[in-house]
Amino acid sequence: MNLYYQPSNKMPLGGVLLFLLGGVLAGGVLAFVYIYAIWYIPFVYINFFLCLGFGLVLGGILMMLAKAGKLRSPTGVGLLALLVGLAAVYLEWSVYLTLLFNAETTGAGRDADTSTSFSASMWADVLTHPAAMWEAIGKINETGTWSLKGATPSGVFLALIWVVELLVIVGGAYWLARSQATEPFSEATNEWADEETLPHPIGYAQDADHVRTALETGQYHTLTPHEMQSETEPFARLKLHRAPNDGNCQYLTLENVTTKVDDKGKATQSTTTVVQHLAISTAAYEELKKRFGQLQA
């Protein structure tokens, strides 16, 4: 028996098709929202956050599709997510070029006003001619289309911005979708394990290697309840995973948690994984849930 959960790497055909079709559809909708947002919102500085939102929302949707399709291969899901992410970027560019080709500018200087409209027929034409799209992107790169502090990015600098945009969108899709495929799954009952975060804090694992070794050898007594004295005090968080209908599908995850408070009093937590998806017995599961399953008065 493996100490830790090992994905079966199974990829049902129906799940793969659901992932690809649903992912590309979601990518298309998000591409429209993203391009219209950066076109009409006049603040260039928030474009990065819009791009980040694009990647994270797409990744979140792909997570749900991977879960619904019961895709259990991290490598396979990662590759599919890369394809969907690239398709989303392609769709994004097709929408942008359509708006750009339909743009009309009236006036000059500070009085200049640019308006545009969406043409479904033009979009279909742009979408189905990748070579022409690539040529148009090359011409845009020579002159640029937007300004930052009075300067218009172009050439290598603009290309780097586009590369960062691509990496953020595709990276978000890949990272989140792949993480779902690593979650515990019962092959016996064909279901994902439920995850429960136990509410009682645990003593911070100062020596992560020592704690990991202890848990791997069944020494669960090394996990001790921790009473929080302040919100910035470090602690550990315990998560239990169990398939609803499979008593042999039970796992443990332990995370160290540190908290920082900024000048405005806002607290931000960061986590470090000590143990992830360690197989445990039913007796251990019940013991840990009893000890840490509720906060003491």
Side-chain angles (χ1 to χ4, degrees):
M1 179 179 177
N2 292 318
L3 281 177
Y4 293 89
Y5 171 73
Q6 298 293 327
S8 66
N9 294 321
K10 291 182 179 179
M11 298 280 284
L13 179 58
V16 171
L17 294 177
L18 174 66
F19 187 94
L20 290 175
L21 294 176
V24 171
L25 178 61
V29 173
L30 291 172
F32 273 87
V33 173
Y34 173 65
I35 291 302
Y36 270 85
I38 65 174
W39 186 281
Y40 286 106
I41 296 177
F43 308 109
V44 176
Y45 304 100
I46 71 169
N47 285 1
F48 173 77
F49 298 101
L50 293 172
C51 178
L52 181 62
F54 188 170
L56 293 179
V57 172
L58 179 60
I61 292 172
L62 294 182
M63 280 184 69
M64 292 188 290
L65 292 172
K67 185 174 184 177
K70 298 180 179 179
L71 304 181
R72 288 101 77 189
S73 170
T75 301
V77 170
L79 291 175
L80 292 179
L82 289 177
L83 291 176
V84 172
L86 290 173
V89 173
Y90 183 83
L91 290 166
E92 167 221 327
W93 269 103
S94 70
V95 176
Y96 178 72
L97 292 175
T98 300
L99 295 182
L100 190 64
F101 293 157
N102 274 341
E104 294 182 359
T105 301
T106 57
R110 294 183 177 180
D111 297 327
D113 180 49
T114 301
S115 61
T116 187
S117 61
F118 181 78
S119 168
S121 59
M122 178 176 288
W123 177 62
D125 187 56
V126 172
L127 189 66
T128 54
H129 292 82
M133 279 183 61
W134 184 255
E135 184 180 353
I137 291 171
K139 291 181 178 179
I140 293 171
N141 181 258
E142 294 176 2
T143 58
T145 59
W146 50 275
S147 60
L148 179 65
K149 293 185 177 180
T152 302
S154 61
V156 175
F157 180 61
L158 182 57
L160 287 175
I161 293 176
W162 290 343
V163 169
V164 170
E165 178 187 58
L166 182 146
L167 291 176
V168 169
I169 295 171
V170 176
Y174 172 86
W175 173 58
L176 289 175
R178 189 182 187 280
S179 68
Q180 176 58 47
T182 66
E183 290 299 307
F185 185 91
S186 170
E187 298 298 328
T189 58
N190 196 38
E191 61 185 349
W192 295 100
D194 294 328
E195 179 181 290
E196 179 182 6
T197 300
L198 301 188
H200 201 298
I202 294 172
Y204 188 84
Q206 296 286 356
D207 188 340
D209 291 336
H210 174 74
V211 172
R212 187 180 305 112
T213 300
L215 293 177
E216 288 175 348
T217 54
Q219 301 177 57
Y220 305 114
H221 63 274
T222 57
L223 299 178
T224 56
H226 178 70
E227 300 300 329
M228 298 292 292
Q229 302 299 320
S230 70
E231 65 175 356
T232 59
E233 193 173 355
F235 65 97
R237 178 187 293 140
L238 184 63
K239 296 180 180 180
L240 297 180
H241 316 264
R242 169 185 266 179
N245 301 300
D246 184 0
N248 294 318
C249 182
Q250 298 169 137
Y251 300 91
L252 170 157
T253 294
L254 182 69
E255 298 173 338
N256 273 338
V257 182
T258 55
T259 305
K260 291 184 179 180
V261 179
D262 61 21
D263 297 336
K264 298 181 180 179
K266 182 180 179 181
T268 303
Q269 288 187 343
S270 59
T271 61
T272 304
T273 300
V274 179
V275 173
Q276 186 174 39
H277 301 157
L278 174 67
I280 58 176
S281 65
T282 300
Y285 181 97
E286 298 298 341
E287 175 199 346
L288 292 170
K289 191 168 182 179
K290 182 178 180 180
R291 291 177 62 198
F292 305 105
Q294 60 183 1
L295 289 171
Q296 297 178 358

